[in-house]
Amino acid sequence: MAETQDNLLQKIKDQGDLVRKLKAAKESSGKIQEEVSKLLALKAQLGSEDAAPSKFVLKTPKGTRDYNPQQMTIRNNVLQKIITVFKRHGAECIDTPVFELKEVLTGKYGEDSKLIYDLKDQGGEILSLRYDLTVPLARYLAMNKINNLKRYHIAKVYRRDNPAMTRGRYREFYQCDFDIAGQYDLMVPDAECLLVVTEILNSLDIGKYVLKVNHRRLLDGMFETCGVPADKFRSTCSTVDKLDKSPWEEVRTEMINEKGVTPEAADRIGEYVRLNGSSELADKLLQDEKLSKNKSAVEGLEGIKLLLHYCELYGIKDKILFDLSLARGLDYYTGVIYEAVLTQPIKIGNEDQTVGSIAGGGRYDNLVGMFDSKNKQVPCVGVSIGVERIFSVLEAKLAAGDISVRTSDIDVYVASAQKNFLEERMKICAELWNAGIKTEQSYKKNPKMLNQLQHCEENGIPLAVILGESELKRGLVKIRNITTRQEDEIPRDNLVEELKSRIEVLDIKEMNGPIRK
């Protein structure tokens, strides 16, 4: 049996290698599918022979991870701050299924569509895991005939990408989206989305950042004046979008060799995408001999000027950079696009690493209409916070000792100095829980006092109620401040009131913030 299984495993490996070679050589889809079918048949045999328990490697799937209590504390704190900002701006929360009909997702993401996770046929429905939260929102709006909505949505999405775990790039990860749907005046909701991003990043205090902005209409006008055919706008846009990771020469080569852009057109595009600045740059480009004669480009530049003006009114102009290299490769964007980028690398281990984009979004006015039988449009603009990359920054700070994390919210530990006090401890715990006080005790009947106090110190529990026989006979209990080690006797009947007043003045937040040097 073992020998047969070993042979089968080797055949599966060899067949898998053959499939990969065929794909690398870009053989015909028919030939590749034929060999894939053989590979699946071999794997099916393995499944039928593998009825008995066998050894396997304990690991999370590629591009996923587990989160320990410290990491979850960081995540929950970050998400709570983000939700606070979303609610401050009037957003309501929705949720959608983790998978959608494949046809809902198809054709919405341009070249990134290859990263969608497809599922097996489920009773006649061809399904895929959601790639983002924006397309499901558009489907939700169209299906429910909703014309106006300000919503936030925090949930996991899935991408069959090459993961870079230390930089917050996963196959399963959270997105935090804020979107405004409805017919409103130009750039008013768009500017508020940018304000939301700055409020979130300021509250998280993860480092200096810049918010890059551009306009899809300007990009289309720029491509047109540079000599790019209209049917190559979107694919060219996807290539320009790689400028934040690749040098111009590599981007230029891809444009020419893979996207069919002429070398002359690529060189003209290169002159524009190196430009960045503020409203003065928009004024300068409006005087550009070619762009000024292009309706699409002028519309985009006028929109950028108005957006920058509104950002100045909101007091965030110093955070905004008008950058012509910003393209955002997703097909559904129609207007303003933006991306927040940390301007300083973070130290991960002994290396300085760039994190990349930590928020992005834009206007997508035509997406909802794709799902409506009468093509009824609901203009939308939104932003997605890249929380996984934010988590990676904060986890790096935790590893470097720059921040501390308190994984438990317990405020009071009920301890006993002598034996046979379990029942009294349980009574006090019940009383404190009923009063809404976060409380804990040892599950041992006669725990050692030193162990109880060590538990408080190790878990950042600020207060301990200590029971002793002589004190209880006099109707008293002791309250111990774990940090200062000061102990005070108080009447047993006043315990709840006394604890609440002490908890109010404790600086608990300091335990989840920067460590004082």
Side-chain angles (χ1 to χ4, degrees):
M1 172 79 178
E3 185 176 274
T4 304
Q5 190 176 51
D6 288 343
N7 290 339
L8 190 54
L9 287 169
Q10 185 59 47
K11 287 181 180 179
I12 290 172
K13 181 181 181 302
D14 294 341
Q15 187 66 20
D17 290 340
L18 175 60
V19 169
R20 281 188 284 274
K21 286 177 183 177
L22 292 175
K23 288 182 177 179
K26 297 186 177 179
E27 289 282 349
S28 67
S29 59
K31 176 66 175 173
I32 293 173
Q33 191 56 49
E34 180 184 344
E35 298 303 329
V36 167
S37 298
K38 293 178 183 178
L39 176 61
L40 293 174
L42 288 169
K43 288 184 175 180
Q45 290 180 45
L46 180 65
S48 63
E49 292 187 15
D50 196 26
S54 61
K55 290 183 178 180
F56 60 93
V57 178
L58 281 174
K59 63 184 286 292
T60 59
K62 185 178 180 181
T64 67
R65 59 182 292 201
D66 295 321
Y67 296 90
N68 64 36
Q70 283 189 318
Q71 292 162 338
M72 283 306 300
T73 299
I74 290 174
R75 292 171 76 86
N76 290 335
N77 286 347
V78 167
L79 293 178
Q80 192 54 54
K81 288 179 179 179
I82 291 172
I83 291 170
T84 298
V85 174
F86 287 164
K87 287 185 174 182
R88 185 188 305 145
H89 288 264
E92 302 170 287
C93 184
I94 70 164
D95 194 14
T96 61
V98 73
F99 44 78
E100 296 274 355
L101 295 176
K102 183 177 180 179
E103 61 195 43
V104 167
L105 306 181
T106 302
K108 312 302 189 302
Y109 302 108
E111 293 185 358
D112 284 350
S113 291
K114 64 181 180 291
L115 303 180
I116 294 173
Y117 267 111
D118 292 330
L119 303 177
K120 285 186 176 180
D121 186 331
Q122 302 293 324
E125 287 190 333
I126 308 301
L127 307 173
S128 299
L129 294 177
R130 62 186 172 203
Y131 176 89
D132 68 1
L133 301 179
T134 305
V135 171
L137 169 65
R139 190 265 307 154
Y140 173 85
L141 294 172
M143 194 175 87
N144 293 286
K145 308 297 182 186
I146 295 171
N147 297 319
N148 296 280
L149 180 68
K150 187 188 293 185
R151 82 87 163 92
Y152 75 89
H153 189 182
I154 298 177
K156 286 183 176 181
V157 299
Y158 299 84
R159 297 184 185 179
R160 201 162 46 83
D161 206 348
N162 288 322
M165 308 290 276
T166 56
R167 291 171 52 198
R169 190 183 184 95
Y170 304 97
R171 288 180 166 179
E172 177 194 62
F173 58 95
Y174 272 100
Q175 279 193 341
C176 298
D177 281 19
F178 172 91
D179 293 81
I180 302 171
Q183 188 74 51
Y184 301 111
D185 287 330
L186 189 65
M187 293 297 170
V188 177
D190 309 63
E192 184 167 352
C193 285
L194 294 179
L195 179 60
V196 163
V197 175
T198 62
E199 288 181 3
I200 287 171
L201 297 183
N202 290 344
S203 71
L204 296 174
D205 191 28
I206 59 171
K208 294 181 180 179
Y209 65 91
V210 64
L211 253 172
K212 298 179 180 181
V213 301
N214 202 358
H215 202 292
R216 266 293 173 83
R217 297 287 289 161
L218 171 57
L219 283 168
D220 288 349
M222 180 182 75
F223 294 147
E224 185 178 348
T225 59
C226 290
V228 178
D231 62 346
K232 289 185 168 63
F233 283 3
R234 291 286 79 89
S235 61
T236 305
C237 204
S238 295
T239 302
V240 172
D241 189 46
K242 297 176 182 178
L243 276 170
D244 63 333
K245 305 179 189 72
S246 306
W248 164 248
E249 285 306 317
E250 288 183 16
V251 171
R252 179 183 182 276
T253 300
E254 182 178 313
M255 269 189 206
I256 297 168
N257 294 344
E258 297 181 28
K259 303 303 167 66
V261 175
T262 66
E264 295 78 19
D267 289 337
R268 285 193 285 268
I269 291 171
E271 293 175 10
Y272 286 116
V273 296
R274 290 182 173 92
L275 301 175
N276 61 67
S278 58
S279 53
E280 289 76 17
L281 175 59
D283 288 328
K284 180 181 177 181
L285 291 173
L286 282 168
Q287 305 302 315
D288 184 273
E289 183 181 353
K290 293 180 179 178
L291 292 181
S292 62
K293 296 175 183 176
N294 185 283
K295 181 182 177 183
S296 179
V298 170
E299 182 184 325
L301 288 166
E302 293 290 356
I304 286 290
K305 281 190 64 178
L306 184 60
L307 178 69
L308 294 174
H309 173 61
Y310 289 158
C311 287
E312 185 174 9
L313 295 178
Y314 279 142
I316 59 172
K317 185 181 179 182
D318 62 320
K319 301 290 187 184
I320 311 296
L321 178 69
F322 172 32
D323 190 332
L324 271 75
S325 71
L326 177 65
R328 294 196 66 78
L330 297 179
D331 277 4
Y332 52 64
Y333 288 123
T334 59
V336 65
I337 51 177
Y338 35 81
E339 197 164 87
V341 181
L342 287 184
T343 56
Q344 295 174 321
I346 64 165
K347 187 171 286 296
I348 297 177
N350 295 321
E351 297 182 8
D352 285 337
Q353 293 193 19
T354 55
V355 177
S357 169
I358 52 173
R363 176 159 288 281
Y364 51 102
D365 287 348
N366 302 330
L367 190 56
V368 177
M370 291 183 183
F371 300 111
D372 189 88
S373 58
K374 298 180 180 178
N375 197 36
K376 182 182 177 183
Q377 303 295 348
V378 178
C380 297
V381 64
V383 65
S384 181
I385 308 299
V387 287
E388 299 294 347
R389 292 184 175 178
I390 291 171
F391 296 150
S392 70
V393 173
L394 294 176
E395 285 177 17
K397 288 188 174 185
L398 177 65
D402 294 332
I403 59 173
S404 61
V405 170
R406 180 176 181 243
T407 58
S408 170
D409 285 346
I410 296 297
D411 293 325
V412 177
Y413 190 92
V414 179
S416 52
Q418 288 118 5
K419 293 182 178 181
N420 301 321
F421 274 83
L422 174 61
E423 292 184 6
E424 189 63 34
R425 293 202 324 262
M426 293 176 77
K427 288 178 187 177
I428 290 181
C429 282
E431 186 179 336
L432 300 187
W433 285 328
N434 289 335
I437 296 173
K438 297 165 186 172
T439 306
E440 194 174 47
Q441 66 156 333
S442 172
Y443 294 126
K444 289 188 174 182
K445 189 172 184 179
N446 297 310
K448 293 180 180 179
M449 189 63 189
L450 180 60
N451 292 344
Q452 295 173 88
L453 295 179
Q454 279 182 339
H455 177 85
C456 293
E457 291 179 358
E458 289 169 1
N459 292 276
I461 301 173
L463 299 174
V465 173
I466 300 175
L467 310 182
E469 186 175 1
S470 63
E471 288 86 3
L472 283 175
K473 284 181 178 177
R474 292 181 287 131
L476 303 172
V477 292
K478 285 182 181 177
I479 295 181
R480 179 185 176 98
N481 184 305
I482 298 300
T483 303
T484 65
R485 301 188 178 182
Q486 178 181 333
E487 293 183 355
D488 301 304
E489 289 185 349
I490 62 146
R492 166 72 178 79
D493 294 341
N494 296 345
L495 180 59
V496 169
E497 187 179 322
E498 180 66 26
L499 286 172
K500 283 187 173 182
S501 65
R502 293 193 182 208
I503 291 167
E504 279 183 12
V505 299
L506 283 172
D507 191 8
I508 301 294
K509 288 183 181 178
E510 193 65 30
M511 298 182 186
N512 272 320
I515 294 176
R516 288 175 178 167
K517 301 295 185 183

